[in-house]
Amino acid sequence: DLESRILMAVSLRISLLLLMRPCDALHAARAAPRMALAEPLATEKAAAAAFSDWSTPFDEVTPQQSGLNGKALLQYAVPTKAAVRRVVPDRCFQRSTSRSMGYLAQSLLTTAVTAAFGLLIPLKAVALPLWIIYACVTGTAAMGCWVLAHECGHGAFSDNRRLQDAVGFILHSALLVPYFSWQRSHAVHHQFTNHVYKGETHVPTVVGGKVGESTPGGEAQLDLAKGMGERLHGMYQLFGHLTIGWPSYLLAGLTGGSRYTDAGRPCNHFWPSKPFSSQLWPGKWAGKVLTSTAGVAAVLGGLGLWASRAGAASVMALYGGPYLVVNMWLILYTWLQHTDVDVPHLHADDFSYMRGAFLTIDRPYPPLIDWLHHRIGTTHVAHHIDCTIPHYHAREATDAIATAFPEAYLFEPSPIHEALWRVACGCIALKRRSLEDSRFVFVPLSAWK
C-alpha cells in the first residue's frame, strides 16, 4: 500500500546517507594540503560541489611527467605580484627607446641579409633544397621582428606610444598579423593563462567538459589519438599546429577559449562582428580590428602586385617560405611556454592571475636562437608576471624570480625537440584530476579506455 512504499523509500534514503558518510570522511582526509597556500585552491566543499556538475567518472588521473617531475602539480605558495616586484630590480622595468630601436635594427638587418641570398637561388625545381634552407634561415631571422612587434603590443618597446604602435603595426602587418586584434586577444591570454575556459590560445578540450565552464570534446580527441596510435597522432599534432595552426587561430579562433565564441560563431581576428563572434572585441576594439585588417590587406595587395610582375612562384619562394617558418616558430614558442604533460589548467575556482602566470614554462633554447629571438623562450615566466619588462632586462628579472621563488618558478630542462615531441604525443585532452583536486591535467593516452 502507499504507506508501506513511503516507509520503504525513507529507509532506503537513510541507508544511502549512512553509507556515504565514511566516503565523505575519507575524501576530507585525502584533501588535506601538504603546505599552506598564499592563494589556496578550492576548498573540499567547493571542489565537491563543482565536481557534482561534471559528467566525468570519479577516476583519479595520474599524469605523465616531464623534466619538471610534477613540480607544477605540487601545492606551493604562489607569490603575489607585489612580492615579485620587490625582488626584481627597478631598472628591469625601465624602457629605452634608443636601445629598443637598436634591437629592431639588428633584427631587420639579419632578416635583410638572409633574404638577399634568396636572390641568388635559381627558381627551378632542382634548387628546391636550397629554397628550403633559405626559408628556414630567413624565417628564423624574421622571427626576431615578430618578437619585437609583440613587445610593442605589450607596451614594453618604448614610452612613446605613437612610435611604439607604429613600429608594431608595420612589423606585424608585414608578417600578415593584425596588430591591434592580436594585441587584444594576446592581452586576454595573459590575463587568463591556463584558465580552462577563459584562456586564449592552446586551450585543450576536456573529458566530461561542460559548456560554459570549459571546452567539451576531450573524449573524441582521445578516441582519435587511440585509433591513430601515439606516434602517428603525434605527427598529426605537429603538422596541424606548426603549419596551419596560426592561420586557423586568426581566422576561426581554433584552440582559443570557448568563452569567446558566440552562439557557435567562431572568433575571427579580421572581422569583429557577424557572421563571427564579437565576444573578444568590446567597445573600441571592433574599430581597431578593422584598422588591423586594413594593414594586412595593404600588404596582401603589395604581394599581389609583386606577383603580377615577378610571378607567383617568386613571391612564394622569397616571401611565402620564410612566412611559414615564422609561423612555425610562433606556434612552437606559444605551445611550449604553457603546455606540458604535468602542467595543469585551472578551473575558475582555483584561478588567479599570478597562479596562471607561474604556470608559464621557461626552456633551454640555443644561444643563437636566444640572440635572434630576444630570449622570448628562456625568460617567458618573467614576461607573464609583468609584460612591460623589456626583453633586454628579462634575463636579470628571471634570475631574481628564480632565486627568490624556487618552488613556484618553472624551468623545464629537456632539449626543445624532445619537449616538442612529448607535448605533441602526450598533451591531447584534459580531465579533472580527482574529486579533491579540481585542477585539470592531461590524460595519458595509455590510460584511456
Side-chain angles (χ1 to χ4, degrees), residues 11-277:
S11 300
L12 180 60
R13 177 64 174 166
I14 292 173
S15 299
L16 287 173
L17 288 172
L18 290 173
L19 286 171
M20 289 170 66
R21 286 184 182 276
C23 295
D24 292 342
L26 176 61
H27 295 331
R30 292 177 63 187
R34 292 166 57 175
M35 61 181 294
L37 303 180
E39 296 173 356
L41 294 173
T43 63
E44 179 205 355
K45 183 176 180 181
F51 180 79
S52 67
D53 292 333
W54 289 79
S55 59
T56 311
F58 178 54
D59 295 321
E60 184 168 338
V61 179
T62 302
Q64 297 174 290
Q65 289 199 349
S66 68
L68 293 168
N69 296 315
K71 181 180 179 180
L73 292 169
L74 299 177
Q75 295 185 356
Y76 53 87
V78 178
T80 63
K81 195 167 185 177
V84 174
R85 187 66 176 81
R86 285 194 293 269
V87 302
V88 176
D90 289 341
R91 60 180 171 272
C92 291
F93 299 90
Q94 296 173 0
R95 290 166 290 280
S96 168
T97 300
S98 60
R99 191 168 181 182
S100 294
M101 293 298 286
Y103 284 107
L104 174 60
Q106 168 192 309
S107 289
L108 289 174
L109 181 62
T110 54
T111 302
V113 168
T114 56
F117 282 101
L119 301 175
L120 305 176
I121 304 174
L123 199 61
K124 298 179 180 179
V126 70
L128 181 60
L130 294 178
W131 282 115
I132 293 174
I133 294 171
Y134 162 81
C136 291
V137 173
T138 304
T140 299
M143 183 62 193
C145 297
W146 208 110
V147 172
L148 292 177
H150 156 265
E151 190 145 295
C152 291
H154 279 297
F157 187 85
S158 172
D159 290 329
N160 185 329
R161 294 290 297 276
R162 289 187 177 182
L163 172 66
Q164 181 170 254
D165 281 340
V167 170
F169 185 85
I170 292 170
L171 290 177
H172 263 170
S173 296
L175 295 168
L176 303 184
V177 179
Y179 174 71
F180 292 113
S181 308
W182 180 85
Q183 182 185 51
R184 162 64 181 164
S185 63
H186 192 64
V188 172
H189 157 68
H190 271 252
Q191 185 179 359
F192 296 109
T193 302
N194 279 39
H195 192 295
V196 77
Y197 177 56
K198 295 182 179 179
E200 181 63 8
T201 73
H202 300 292
V203 181
T205 56
V206 175
V207 173
K210 183 179 180 181
V211 174
E213 292 186 13
S214 65
T215 302
E219 296 89 343
Q221 294 292 328
L222 286 163
D223 285 343
L224 174 65
K226 197 75 171 181
M228 294 178 69
E230 183 181 78
R231 292 184 63 84
L232 181 59
H233 188 263
M235 290 186 283
Y236 164 78
Q237 286 251 78
L238 285 177
F239 175 81
H241 279 74
L242 299 182
T243 57
I244 63 173
W246 176 238
S248 297
Y249 170 68
L250 291 180
L251 293 170
L254 294 187
T255 79
S258 55
R259 163 68 179 79
Y260 310 106
T261 60
D262 185 5
R265 294 194 296 268
C267 180
N268 182 288
H269 280 67
F270 298 96
W271 193 255
S273 58
K274 293 181 180 179
F276 301 103
S277 171

Side-chain angles (χ1 to χ4, degrees), residues 272-347:
S273 58
K274 293 181 180 179
F276 301 103
S277 171
S278 60
Q279 292 293 314
L280 200 55
W281 320 117
K284 65 179 181 180
W285 286 105
K288 289 194 168 189
V289 169
L290 297 178
T291 300
S292 305
T293 300
V296 173
V299 173
L300 287 173
L303 292 173
L305 181 61
W306 178 13
S308 69
R309 297 183 177 181
S314 293
V315 176
M316 289 301 299
L318 288 166
Y319 179 90
Y323 167 75
L324 292 176
V325 172
V326 169
N327 292 352
M328 289 180 185
W329 274 113
L330 171 62
I331 294 300
L332 183 148
Y333 276 124
T334 56
W335 201 10
L336 295 187
Q337 282 162 350
H338 306 289
T339 309
D340 216 322
V341 291
D342 52 358
V343 175
H345 284 66
L346 304 177
H347 187 271

